[in-house]
Amino acid sequence: MKQRSTLFFSRGPNWTNWVKSESKFKKIPAALALTFAASLLTGCFTTPPELGVQNGTLKPCPSTPNCVTSMGTDSESMPALTFNGSIVAARVKLIDIISDMPRTSIIEQNHNYVHAAFSSKLFGFVDDVEFLLSSTPDNKTIIDFRSASRLGYSDLGVNKERMNAITAVSYTHLRAHETLR
């Protein structure tokens, strides 16, 4: 009969009993839980990065896969939103759309800029979403955007998914707006 290792099985097949019974390991689960909780709370309380309009554009996305923009030049960029109407009307519609989404707050807004913060449901991680509105000669408004996670390397596609949802909702609102005219 093969002899079992005494490291994990000296106190029975359940390794958690072994960890709890060894005096030098008694504080490990508590320390791990505290470290894990602190890392999660860090996502809730991180300060927003330097954002806003700089030289007529939004800040570019970093090289990490936790950001999506309409102002990029790579294949991951998304098209900007288009609104038939003035910047003021487009901003009002955009804020209505954003305000209807869960766990969202408008951080800043002015004539041609909107900054919103979206929090994740489970851990409260914050993503910053910026919109830059500009008018065209034919009375349309182009809405460029940047959606980026404040923390972490990857967002598992959450920012792109969010911007796809905003795009879908905005086109639904815009079509309803055009048919009412």
Side-chain angles (χ1 to χ4, degrees):
M1 183 166 157
K2 191 173 181 182
Q3 192 174 20
R4 291 183 178 178
S5 168
T6 58
L7 180 62
F8 288 110
F9 297 104
S10 63
R11 306 253 189 234
N14 187 343
W15 72 273
T16 57
N17 289 338
W18 178 82
V19 171
K20 289 177 186 174
S21 68
E22 296 296 317
S23 62
K24 64 182 177 180
F25 293 110
K26 281 185 178 178
K27 295 183 182 179
I28 287 179
L32 288 174
L34 184 60
T35 302
F36 182 70
S39 67
L40 292 178
L41 290 175
T42 302
C44 302
F45 300 112
T46 57
T47 56
E50 295 290 325
L51 299 175
V53 181
Q54 300 163 0
N55 299 324
T57 64
L58 298 172
K59 183 178 176 179
C61 280
S63 60
T64 56
N66 63 357
C67 181
V68 65
T69 184
S70 64
M71 300 184 100
T73 56
D74 62 354
S75 62
E76 293 297 315
S77 295
M78 296 178 65
L81 305 173
T82 305
F83 179 77
N84 291 325
S86 69
I87 287 179
V88 173
R91 189 180 72 246
V92 168
K93 270 293 189 202
L94 182 62
I95 290 172
D96 284 346
I97 291 168
I98 293 168
S99 298
D100 285 344
M101 298 181 87
R103 298 172 308 282
T104 304
S105 58
I106 304 295
I107 305 298
E108 179 185 348
Q109 63 174 307
N110 61 38
H111 174 69
N112 68 338
Y113 176 77
V114 176
H115 172 204
F118 290 77
S119 299
S120 67
K121 186 176 186 176
L122 187 57
F123 296 121
F125 293 122
V126 179
D127 294 339
D128 292 292
V129 183
E130 300 177 282
F131 299 92
L132 177 62
L133 295 82
S134 57
S135 59
T136 64
D138 57 346
N139 196 34
K140 291 185 179 185
T141 300
I142 304 299
I143 306 172
D144 283 299
F145 58 83
R146 177 185 186 271
S147 182
S149 301
R150 286 186 188 175
L151 190 66
Y153 178 78
S154 175
D155 67 351
L156 303 174
V158 171
N159 284 299
K160 189 167 191 168
E161 185 178 306
R162 176 185 304 112
M163 293 314 303
N164 282 331
I166 290 174
T167 300
V169 171
S170 69
Y171 284 128
T172 302
H173 279 270
L174 297 179
R175 274 188 245 133
H177 177 70
E178 291 172 357
T179 57
L180 294 175
R181 287 183 156 193

